[in-house]
Amino acid sequence: QVQLVETGGGLVQAGGSLRLSCATSVRTFVPFTMGWFRQAPGEEREFVAAIRWSGGSTDYADSVKGRFTISRDSAENAVFLQMSSLKPEDTAIYYCAFRWAGSPATTPNTYDYWGQGTQVTVSS
């Protein structure tokens, strides 16, 4: 069982920045990927960004490219999402996710474990 704990959400004005963190309990040499998804009220959960733990290559949704950066810290066993130039449409619950595979994945049902989510609200 992999545990994921997100922190760092909050309320910010448009144009501001937030940094989300996700601590994971996993320690393995098996390839895996970690991602961030978000879900706004009445909307489906959507892909935001992902990072392959081995090698550190990343993928981003077009809507966040150039504004968000995903990174990892192997020593802390954590993944981060630095969000800048935030817009009101970025308002959502943000979820950290874990996938037992090192290949890219942008659909939620390909991830095996999820955190509890953290609320991000961007005011205009």
Side-chain angles (χ1 to χ4, degrees):
Q1 184 77 10
V2 174
Q3 294 182 326
L4 305 170
V5 179
E6 303 107 329
T7 55
L11 172 65
V12 64
Q13 288 188 330
S17 300
L18 277 176
R19 186 181 190 234
L20 305 183
S21 300
C22 176
T24 173
S25 62
V26 70
R27 293 188 183 275
T28 178
F29 293 106
V30 176
F32 63 93
T33 297
M34 293 192 68
W36 288 96
F37 288 75
R38 65 187 182 186
Q39 188 167 17
E43 303 289 333
E44 293 187 351
R45 193 167 297 190
E46 65 172 2
F47 170 76
V48 175
I51 186 166
R52 294 161 195 73
W53 205 259
S54 177
S57 57
T58 57
D59 296 297
Y60 294 94
D62 288 342
S63 59
V64 306
K65 279 181 182 176
R67 300 188 299 122
F68 290 11
T69 302
I70 188 170
S71 62
R72 74 195 185 326
D73 187 320
S74 299
E76 294 186 14
N77 247 32
V79 64
F80 308 97
L81 186 68
Q82 178 67 47
M83 305 184 293
S84 303
S85 302
L86 282 161
K87 305 174 182 179
E89 51 264 43
D90 294 318
T91 295
I93 298 175
Y94 282 70
Y95 296 91
C96 178
F98 176 97
R99 180 169 182 265
W100 279 119
S103 55
T106 60
T107 52
N109 62 7
T110 63
Y111 283 75
D112 302 294
Y113 299 98
W114 293 85
Q116 80 285 357
T118 185
Q119 177 70 48
V120 171
T121 303
V122 184
S123 63
S124 57

